Amino acid sequence: MAGFNLAELLIEFVNVGGKGGGLSNGVLLRHTQFLDLAGSSVTSCLITSLGFAIFWWKEAVVYEIYPASFKDSNDDGVGDIQGIIRKLDYLRDLGVDVISLCPHYQSPQVDMGYDISDYNRIHEPYGTLEDVQTLIDETHARGMRIFFDLVINHSSNLHKFFQESRSSKDNPKRDWYFWRPAKYDADGYPHPPNNWRSHFTVPAWTWDQNTEEYYLHIYAPEMPDFNWENEECRQAIYETAVIFWLERGIDGFRIDTVNKYSKDVSFPDAEIRYPGEETQPASSYYRNGPRIHEFLGELRRHFDRYDAISVGELSSFPRVEAEVIKFISARARQLNMVFNLDIAKFGQERGKRKGLQPFVIVDLKREMSRWQDFVSGTDAWITIFLENHDNIRSISRFGADVSLEDRILGGKLLAMILTAMTGTLFLYQGQEIGMTNSPRSWPAEEYRDVKSVNKWIQAQERCKESQECLDIALEDIWEHTRDHARLPMQWDDGENAGFSSAGVTPWIRVNDDWKETNVGKQIKDPNSLLEFWKKLLRLRKDYKDLFIYGHYELLEADNADLFVFMKEAHGKRSLTVINMSADKKRWKGPPSSFGPNYKLLLQNTANADESVLSAWEGRLYLSSS
């Protein structure tokens, strides 16, 4: 432990501190060897003796809120900031430590706020700057913290920076975005600078008639990419999108598309994967570029000035651990943690034929275990989650949404997996009550997601009068639409599920099951999923050395239906046993390595037969040697 000075650390703790009384991130990063002890008896003793949670963000429960769909306070059909404020006590009582807010900034809403036209103003249906400041203050008043979404790979095409950039080729901000001339073929016809395909539309370049050049957008045409190579552009981003909000007291950021700032600016053509098509997938050229870690290090210096925490959306998650560690090693001083988006893909993979391929529990176990093992022995930290605003609901993904009983059992089962694992725990709104996907029967007109809308437009052009073709296209949209996660929060069994008052038309349709799945029906019901989540989150805090920091071991790795894992810390062990199927399964009981002195701490069914696991049954055991 050369270089670690405990006395100096304690002095800095007293003299510097940090938000909530903890050590500042900068202090901890100057003692990187100390970080290696996270979860050890030394760290636990130090935390206990000082009476402060040095690593508060590691132990936090973070709850993601989609503003448009959380709570409508003024009956215009759109969720808003005042609606969130009204539900802060609910979130505190649930056991939430941090709320993480999806974009609330001024935006034309091409991509539901991820196309920002002004970082320092608020989307008018959501409220005002004063409302947001009240939200920050009221969150802190309840002992919670607040993260904002940081979207700085691109802006809206209505942002003043882009309006100046496109005004003329010699504008000082011209180089703040990527502009390139057309590429002409042998017959003199103009084409985009390369064959890159965007995520939302094709191609990734749009022609600007005013200056007769193309601009780059790896998402929608209304979302042009910033040129991070330009230092003046970067500094303007930091001032408007980062420092402005840190000065107002927020505690950190969830950072959108964090590994796409650095691109291959030679803009080569992508390899031909789809012969005969003009555009090709090109993500290898616009993510993890040559200057990405330089840019993130520069961004981190601003975060450290305010003790702000960062969690990055790392798209196309690297399969090589050495590549991941570059982003989240404490020594690297870039991000505190990232999301492994591969975990969110399970249950959404396409098969060789039409439709989703069957969910494979063995694959899920291996990926989640890889992520648990990854953090062991490193100075890095991880997230644990199953849902967010971009993916279909977890209960539906894993096939536990056939009946209301299955939903409750399946939701409890998934909660048991998450709360017993190492990492900062992220929940998404409605996950705690078991919200599921919308019905397959909904027509295309119900969808609002820009990706889904574009797919339907393309399908209508492609299918012409073929109803079979249209039916297949609609099924494909239903399987992947982000709207599943964006339906209004279900608060009660009244009209509009309590999201808006009766007689109001919400911006997007309420799910058909609101009368049987809502907060009002579940709150204070000891058998409900909501109350089960509350109990689990309390246990996670009570046994944090074990569940959050304990050593992980996967058992029965090749079992096709059971997910069994053990955690160990300071002579105590936990055993989580999960039957992720709709059928009964024989089980031999806790292994001898678990220890003879064990007790059943929690169960999601009333099954008393220890040798049989009923459908969607989960058990949590504790043992001490």
Side-chain angles (χ1 to χ4, degrees):
M1 290 192 24
F4 170 65
N5 188 321
L6 178 59
E8 181 186 350
L9 180 68
L10 294 175
I11 290 170
E12 292 197 62
F13 176 87
V14 173
N15 292 336
V16 180
K19 289 185 179 180
L23 285 169
S24 70
N25 294 330
V27 172
L28 290 177
L29 287 167
R30 286 195 293 276
H31 301 276
T32 54
Q33 285 78 11
F34 175 77
L35 283 171
D36 290 341
L37 298 172
S40 73
S41 58
V42 174
T43 299
S44 300
C45 291
L46 183 59
I47 290 174
T48 301
S49 63
L50 292 174
F52 293 101
I54 295 175
F55 302 105
W56 67 264
W57 49 276
K58 294 186 175 184
E59 300 168 8
V61 174
V62 186
Y63 187 98
E64 184 185 1
I65 294 175
Y66 200 69
S69 300
F70 193 62
K71 175 62 180 173
D72 173 17
S73 72
N74 60 359
D75 287 337
D76 64 355
V78 179
D80 47 52
I81 302 301
Q82 285 295 331
I84 298 171
I85 293 171
R86 292 183 186 182
K87 296 299 182 180
L88 286 176
D89 289 340
Y90 163 79
L91 296 174
R92 179 197 59 196
D93 294 344
L94 173 60
V96 169
D97 302 298
V98 182
I99 62 171
S100 181
L101 203 61
C102 288
H104 57 281
Y105 317 100
Q106 186 182 75
S107 165
Q109 299 288 305
V110 170
D111 186 28
M112 289 303 299
Y114 283 89
D115 50 317
I116 298 169
S117 55
D118 193 329
Y119 290 96
N120 305 141
R121 296 179 63 184
I122 309 304
H123 181 51
E124 289 186 5
Y126 293 167
T128 65
L129 188 60
E130 290 72 25
D131 290 330
V132 174
Q133 188 63 57
T134 300
L135 173 62
I136 295 170
D137 296 341
E138 290 295 323
T139 301
H140 289 158
R142 288 164 174 80
M144 298 188 292
R145 293 175 167 90
I146 185 167
F147 292 171
F148 282 177
D149 221 316
L150 185 59
V151 187
I152 49 178
N153 173 74
H154 50 264
S155 73
S156 165
N157 63 342
L158 299 183
H159 194 290
K160 62 183 179 181
F161 293 168
F162 187 73
Q163 291 295 304
E164 289 187 52
S165 182
R166 79 185 311 175
S167 65
S168 67
K169 290 182 179 179
D170 58 0
N171 185 276
K173 291 186 175 61
R174 182 66 171 185
D175 192 45
W176 287 26
Y177 297 84
F178 292 106
W179 294 92
R180 294 293 184 273
K183 185 168 63 176
Y184 292 89
D185 61 24
D187 296 321
Y189 291 105
H191 296 274
N194 63 27
N195 66 352
W196 291 6
R197 177 177 299 179
S198 80
H199 288 283
F200 293 169
T201 58
V202 290
W205 299 88
T206 289
W207 178 255
D208 181 67
Q209 188 62 43
N210 181 48
T211 56
E212 296 188 326
E213 284 191 330
Y214 285 92
Y215 65 86
L216 177 71
H217 53 85
I218 59 176
Y219 291 97
E222 297 86 354
M223 301 161 68
D225 282 47
F226 281 120
N227 179 10
W228 275 68
E229 301 287 325
N230 186 299
E231 184 176 358
E232 288 185 355
C233 176
R234 296 200 307 274
Q235 295 307 318
I237 291 171
Y238 301 150
E239 288 293 331
T240 58
V242 178
I243 296 172
F244 178 87
W245 291 108
L246 291 174
E247 284 287 338
R248 286 184 168 268
I250 70 167
D251 303 283
F253 291 100
R254 176 264 182 198
I255 310 179
D256 188 63
T257 61
V258 74
N259 56 337
K260 294 180 179 175
Y261 305 155
S262 176
K263 301 171 174 65
D264 184 339
V265 294
S266 68
F267 296 111
D269 277 337
E271 295 79 5
I272 304 299
R273 291 175 54 188
Y274 299 99
E277 297 186 18
E278 185 174 1
T279 64
Q280 302 293 325
S283 63
S284 61
Y285 295 102
Y286 58 67
R287 60 172 170 81
N288 302 330
R291 298 185 68 186
I292 187 62
H293 296 293
E294 174 192 345
F295 294 156
L296 293 182
E298 186 175 87
L299 181 61
R300 175 62 179 263
R301 288 192 284 277
H302 293 290
F303 294 161
D304 284 348
R305 287 169 50 202
Y306 296 87
D307 289 327
I309 301 303
S310 58
V311 53
E313 181 194 35
L314 204 61
S315 60
S316 301
F317 195 76
R319 301 305 304 167
V320 180
E321 282 77 358
E323 292 301 311
V324 182
I325 202 75
K326 294 177 183 178
F327 289 93
I328 54 177
S329 164
R331 293 177 178 84
R333 300 186 67 176
Q334 296 192 13
L335 304 169
N336 293 106
M337 47 191 162
V338 294
F339 293 111
N340 177 358
L341 296 182
D342 282 351
I343 289 175
K345 294 177 183 177
F346 285 99
Q348 289 188 275
E349 303 95 330
R350 296 199 61 78
K352 293 181 180 179
R353 304 180 68 181
K354 181 181 74 69
L356 299 180
Q357 62 186 2
F359 165 63
V360 180
I361 176 61
V362 172
D363 293 341
L364 174 70
K365 290 191 296 185
R366 287 174 179 162
E367 183 60 28
M368 295 193 80
S369 298
R370 179 176 84 93
W371 196 223
Q372 292 290 291
D373 294 337
F374 164 82
V375 76
S376 179
T378 73
D379 65 349
W381 193 245
I382 58 175
T383 60
I384 185 72
F385 78 107
L386 285 177
E387 293 193 18
N388 63 25
H389 64 281
D390 277 337
N391 291 280
I392 66 179
R393 291 289 185 173
S394 58
I395 290 176
S396 298
R397 278 203 284 145
F398 301 132
D401 62 351
V402 176
S403 66
L404 178 59
E405 181 182 9
D406 282 351
R407 293 177 193 176
I408 295 171
L409 289 175
K412 290 179 178 180
L413 174 148
L414 296 174
M416 294 175 75
I417 294 175
L418 291 176
T419 52
M421 283 195 166
T422 294
T424 299
L425 176 57
F426 282 75
L427 298 179
Y428 180 69
Q429 66 183 48
Q431 185 176 353
E432 75 277 17
I433 60 171
M435 288 181 64
T436 56
N437 289 350
S438 62
R440 274 185 163 92
S441 59
W442 282 12
E445 290 71 28
E446 299 292 352
Y447 295 113
R448 300 290 181 267
D449 173 19
V450 61
K451 292 174 68 175
S452 302
V453 171
N454 286 340
K455 280 185 177 181
W456 185 242
I457 293 172
Q458 293 164 8
Q460 289 176 303
E461 295 173 351
R462 181 180 70 252
C463 295
K464 305 302 181 185
E465 302 299 323
S466 171
Q467 188 59 48
E468 180 182 5
C469 176
L470 288 171
D471 289 344
I472 293 172
L474 186 57
E475 177 71 8
D476 178 71
I477 290 171
W478 178 85
E479 287 175 345
H480 297 93
T481 183
R482 298 182 296 176
D483 285 335
H484 290 310
R486 302 175 181 188
L487 304 185
M489 179 70 180
Q490 295 164 199
W491 293 105
D492 58 42
D493 59 3
E495 186 179 339
N496 290 330
F499 167 72
S500 295
S501 297
V504 175
T505 301
W507 73 276
I508 191 172
R509 181 173 170 178
V510 176
N511 207 338
D512 292 357
D513 66 353
W514 90 89
K515 288 190 176 181
E516 60 185 21
T517 303
N518 61 73
V519 172
K521 187 172 183 178
Q522 295 189 28
I523 202 160
K524 296 191 179 186
D525 174 0
N527 297 315
S528 71
L529 176 56
L530 176 60
E531 294 301 320
F532 195 80
W533 264 111
K534 289 181 183 179
K535 185 183 299 183
L536 274 171
L537 294 180
R538 288 193 297 268
L539 286 173
R540 182 173 170 84
K541 288 178 169 62
D542 290 343
Y543 295 93
K544 63 184 178 183
D545 283 357
L546 188 58
F547 295 143
I548 300 177
Y549 297 116
H551 172 74
Y552 173 90
E553 181 182 358
L554 176 66
L555 306 177
E556 304 193 35
D558 295 325
N559 192 303
D561 298 298
L562 303 187
F563 194 167
V564 184
F565 62 89
M566 188 162 57
K567 301 292 291 290
E568 189 277 331
H570 316 315
K572 292 183 179 180
R573 296 182 180 89
S574 69
L575 184 70
T576 303
V577 183
I578 301 295
N579 176 17
M580 292 193 73
S581 77
D583 302 312
K584 289 183 179 180
K585 298 295 173 183
R586 301 292 300 178
W587 185 59
K588 59 182 178 290
S592 58
S593 60
F594 184 56
N597 303 315
Y598 65 84
K599 65 177 180 179
L600 181 61
L601 182 65
L602 195 66
Q603 189 176 16
N604 69 339
T605 72
N607 177 25
D609 186 349
E610 192 172 82
S611 65
V612 175
L613 294 165
S614 54
W616 305 112
E617 181 175 354
R619 298 177 189 170
L620 178 59
Y621 295 93
L622 281 183
S623 175
S624 58
S625 56

